Amino acid sequence: MTLLSALDYASVAVFALTGALVASRAQLDIVGFIFVACLTALGGGTLRDAILNRDMVFWVADPVMLAVAGSAAVTVFFSAHLLESRYRALLWLDACALAVAVPAGVGVAMGMGSAWPIVIVMGMITGCMGGLMRDVVCNEVPLVLKQGELYVTAAFAGAVAAVVAATFGLETGIALLICAAVTVTLRAGSLALGWRLPVYRARPPRNGPRN
Amino acid sequence: MTLLSALDYASVAVFALTGALVASRAQLDIVGFIFVACLTALGGGTLRDAILNRDMVFWVADPVMLAVAGSAAVTVFFSAHLLESRYRALLWLDACALAVAVPAGVGVAMGMGSAWPIVIVMGMITGCMGGLMRDVVCNEVPLVLKQGELYVTAAFAGAVAAVVAATFGLETGIALLICAAVTVTLRAGSLALGWRLPVYRARPPRNGPRN
Amino acid sequence: MTLLSALDYASVAVFALTGALVASRAQLDIVGFIFVACLTALGGGTLRDAILNRDMVFWVADPVMLAVAGSAAVTVFFSAHLLESRYRALLWLDACALAVAVPAGVGVAMGMGSAWPIVIVMGMITGCMGGLMRDVVCNEVPLVLKQGELYVTAAFAGAVAAVVAATFGLETGIALLICAAVTVTLRAGSLALGWRLPVYRARPPRNGPRN
């Protein structure tokens, strides 16, 4: 198994866990768990493959992915009550999933010889869009857009780091590991230490009322 | 007209009716009715065709589909006030649409020679995603995710039944009819008789507070 | 630069501005601005290209589009506080973006020799779906579905006008300009003068209670 396919499997499994945790917060049944887990785990990569026009979407080429996502969902259905805080588990699992999904997306785009802006965007899409679909469908506030938290930023920085590393001639495998490290560091720093970017605030305009 | 294209037309027409009913609940104008009807009727199949990488999305290959969806929307715009309960009509029409859309998706994937897990997923996508898009865009609680109701489960069971039937050597046409029968039975049983799966409930954890 | 690619750039830039304005209302950070701006600016065209099965999605073929959208987002981040009313600016910019995106979509479909119903739908998808994604993700009431306002209707009328013009033998460039003019006139008339279509109202049914 190559590093790239290991990343793919890990990202599917961990994102499926987060999808199932959101399903548990919405009190769905077991099929609902599997549905949300698959949407979350496969959504970002499916979008990446559709945009890159790959011959086959990754889970059509390898249906074992479906079994991985489904097993993760069933596991959560029967064990989520053992967690002390499901929301905290969700946040940290989501951070891990982001850190494997971004290099997975970057690796696919690099493998297809895409230009570097496309490589970066594919990393971000693979990392962020599955979770966004999960949150939109289940009516949660999207983690992606939580004010000031480093989420899209972490994905962006990780993808940029991979491109820079590859430009300096490092092997793809190393570049992807650097990508994962940067992504998880920024995201974990944001979760644990409150690292943030300044958010937009409407300052008093020069004339006219605040809006 | 083959059975498969009959299923496609029926699924488009009935899902368009449900989209238009949701539009009537949101008090849209006639173009809004047509828009939501098309999104609902064509969304699931479009996703299926994009993921399977078919040469042409089904309604691009056959634009008559657009006329079918549009006519259904216009009909609802001028006659929905005759219904005693629009929500009840919506639920039952949606059940019928599910029961034709799942075999339509299964049939397309079988025709392309997909592996059986992909066949099942394509049935579920074609059946469930159009209605999900309708509900997300119109800000209704997604029918797909209503607690404990058999919806995704009905689609899943129908698709599995078709695959089993085909494995036992039955003709595709028969397999698709079995698929429709299983889907509509489970969904109707859930609507009329309250058939349900148990939903997830956070049980008191062994230590620490409930979350 | 051809008219078609000028339309594409203009549509990306102006839709990105609207995305960034919505991000400012949600008080996101600068990377969130860029994310929402790209989603809005590229979403509709990406969907169009995926459905038409073009060899490459337009911004994969030309990554400068990403820089255009990103620059628009950064500009708004540092200058939105100068606006007297961000919502009013959003509405009018969105109208302009619609008026360039609809002909951009129509032009692509015409260039691929699509049938006229597909040309019309591609104009509507390119014009409406990016803004719809923006509003769904940021939890705003979709502009597309505001009761009775001419939005989808404006896109539809513009696309029909282009098809009629092309049928009467006018050059594609002229047809696209007519399309833009019709779209912006109807949308602006709706915003400034309150032009509307009648919305659906449940009339008292002949028997049974109102629903």
Side-chain angles (χ1 to χ4, degrees):
Chain A
M1 190 157 72
T2 65
L3 174 67
L4 199 56
S5 76
L7 281 173
D8 261 352
Y9 279 105
S11 136
V12 165
V14 188
F15 262 132
L17 293 175
T18 72
L21 280 174
V22 170
S24 82
R25 288 161 55 85
Q27 303 210 307
L28 301 181
D29 59 53
I30 194 163
V31 182
F33 271 61
I34 295 173
F35 181 79
V36 179
C38 286
L39 182 75
T40 312
L42 309 173
T46 303
L47 199 57
R48 173 198 64 199
D49 292 351
I51 291 176
L52 287 179
N53 220 348
R54 288 176 91 186
D55 286 342
M56 283 179 105
V57 173
F58 70 108
W59 54 269
V60 174
D62 178 10
V64 174
M65 294 289 182
L66 295 167
V68 171
S71 313
V74 172
T75 307
V76 171
F77 187 79
F78 288 111
S79 64
H81 64 285
L82 301 174
L83 291 169
E84 273 201 43
S85 162
R86 276 178 290 144
Y87 191 64
R88 215 140 180 85
L90 169 59
L91 286 178
W92 283 97
L93 280 171
D94 189 84
C96 297
L98 186 71
V100 284
V102 173
V106 164
V108 167
M110 280 184 173
M112 295 180 68
S114 303
W116 62 263
I118 304 301
V119 170
I120 293 172
V121 172
M122 289 304 145
M124 296 169 72
I125 284 179
T126 313
C128 301
M129 296 307 271
L132 183 58
M133 290 179 199
R134 172 196 68 205
D135 295 339
V136 166
V137 166
C138 293
N139 225 356
E140 300 248 347
V141 177
L143 282 184
V144 170
L145 296 179
K146 273 243 203 113
Q147 288 178 17
E149 277 196 16
L150 306 181
Y151 194 105
V152 188
T153 311
F156 176 71
V160 168
V163 167
V164 170
T167 309
F168 278 101
L170 272 72
E171 239 182 286
T172 304
I174 311 284
L176 296 185
L177 290 178
I178 292 174
C179 170
V182 169
T183 305
V184 81
T185 305
L186 286 177
R187 181 73 188 126
S190 183
L191 282 178
L193 308 173
W195 295 355
R196 282 158 181 269
L197 279 182
V199 302
Y200 175 84
R201 273 183 220 297
R203 278 147 285 184
R206 283 177 304 184
N207 42 30
R210 177 183 281 251
N211 49 74
Chain B
M1 191 158 71
T2 66
L3 174 67
L4 200 54
S5 77
L7 281 172
D8 261 352
Y9 279 105
S11 138
V12 165
V14 188
F15 262 132
L17 292 174
T18 72
L21 279 174
V22 171
S24 82
R25 288 161 55 86
Q27 303 209 308
L28 301 181
D29 59 52
I30 195 163
V31 182
F33 271 61
I34 296 174
F35 181 79
V36 178
C38 286
L39 183 76
T40 312
L42 309 173
T46 303
L47 199 55
R48 173 198 64 199
D49 292 350
I51 291 175
L52 288 179
N53 220 348
R54 288 178 90 187
D55 286 342
M56 283 179 106
V57 172
F58 71 110
W59 54 269
V60 174
D62 178 10
V64 174
M65 294 288 183
L66 294 168
V68 171
S71 313
V74 171
T75 308
V76 171
F77 188 78
F78 288 112
S79 64
H81 65 285
L82 301 175
L83 292 170
E84 273 201 42
S85 163
R86 276 179 288 144
Y87 191 64
R88 208 132 189 91
L90 170 58
L91 285 177
W92 283 97
L93 279 171
D94 189 83
C96 296
L98 187 70
V100 285
V102 173
V106 164
V108 167
M110 280 183 171
M112 295 180 69
S114 304
W116 63 263
I118 305 301
V119 169
I120 293 172
V121 172
M122 289 304 145
M124 296 170 72
I125 285 180
T126 313
C128 300
M129 296 307 272
L132 183 57
M133 290 179 200
R134 171 196 67 205
D135 295 339
V136 166
V137 166
C138 293
N139 225 357
E140 299 250 347
V141 177
L143 282 183
V144 170
L145 296 178
K146 272 245 204 112
Q147 289 178 18
E149 277 196 17
L150 305 181
Y151 195 104
V152 187
T153 311
F156 177 71
V160 168
V163 167
V164 170
T167 309
F168 279 100
L170 273 71
E171 240 182 286
T172 305
I174 312 285
L176 296 185
L177 290 178
I178 293 175
C179 170
V182 169
T183 306
V184 82
T185 305
L186 286 177
R187 181 73 189 127
S190 183
L191 283 178
L193 309 172
W195 295 355
R196 284 159 179 268
L197 279 182
V199 301
Y200 175 84
R201 272 183 221 297
R203 280 146 283 185
R206 283 178 304 185
N207 43 30
R210 179 182 279 250
N211 49 73
Chain C
M1 190 156 72
T2 64
L3 174 67
L4 201 55
S5 76
L7 281 172
D8 261 352
Y9 279 105
S11 137
V12 165
V14 187
F15 262 133
L17 292 174
T18 72
L21 280 173
V22 171
S24 82
R25 288 162 55 85
Q27 303 210 308
L28 301 181
D29 59 52
I30 194 163
V31 181
F33 271 61
I34 295 173
F35 181 78
V36 179
C38 286
L39 183 75
T40 312
L42 309 174
T46 303
L47 198 57
R48 173 199 64 199
D49 292 351
I51 291 176
L52 287 180
N53 220 348
R54 288 176 90 186
D55 287 342
M56 284 179 105
V57 173
F58 71 109
W59 54 269
V60 174
D62 178 11
V64 174
M65 294 287 184
L66 295 168
V68 171
S71 313
V74 172
T75 307
V76 171
F77 187 78
F78 288 112
S79 63
H81 64 285
L82 301 175
L83 292 169
E84 272 199 44
S85 161
R86 277 178 290 144
Y87 191 64
R88 210 137 185 86
L90 169 59
L91 286 178
W92 283 98
L93 279 171
D94 190 83
C96 297
L98 186 71
V100 285
V102 173
V106 164
V108 167
M110 279 183 172
M112 295 180 70
S114 304
W116 62 263
I118 305 303
V119 170
I120 293 172
V121 172
M122 289 304 144
M124 295 170 73
I125 285 180
T126 313
C128 300
M129 296 308 269
L132 183 58
M133 291 179 199
R134 172 195 68 205
D135 295 340
V136 166
V137 166
C138 293
N139 225 357
E140 300 250 346
V141 177
L143 281 183
V144 170
L145 296 178
K146 273 244 202 112
Q147 289 178 17
E149 279 195 17
L150 305 181
Y151 194 105
V152 188
T153 311
F156 177 70
V160 168
V163 167
V164 170
T167 309
F168 278 100
L170 274 71
E171 240 183 284
T172 304
I174 311 284
L176 296 185
L177 290 179
I178 292 174
C179 170
V182 170
T183 306
V184 82
T185 305
L186 286 178
R187 181 73 189 127
S190 183
L191 283 178
L193 309 173
W195 294 356
R196 285 161 176 267
L197 279 181
V199 302
Y200 175 83
R201 275 184 219 295
R203 279 146 284 185
R206 283 178 304 186
N207 43 30
R210 180 183 278 251
N211 50 73

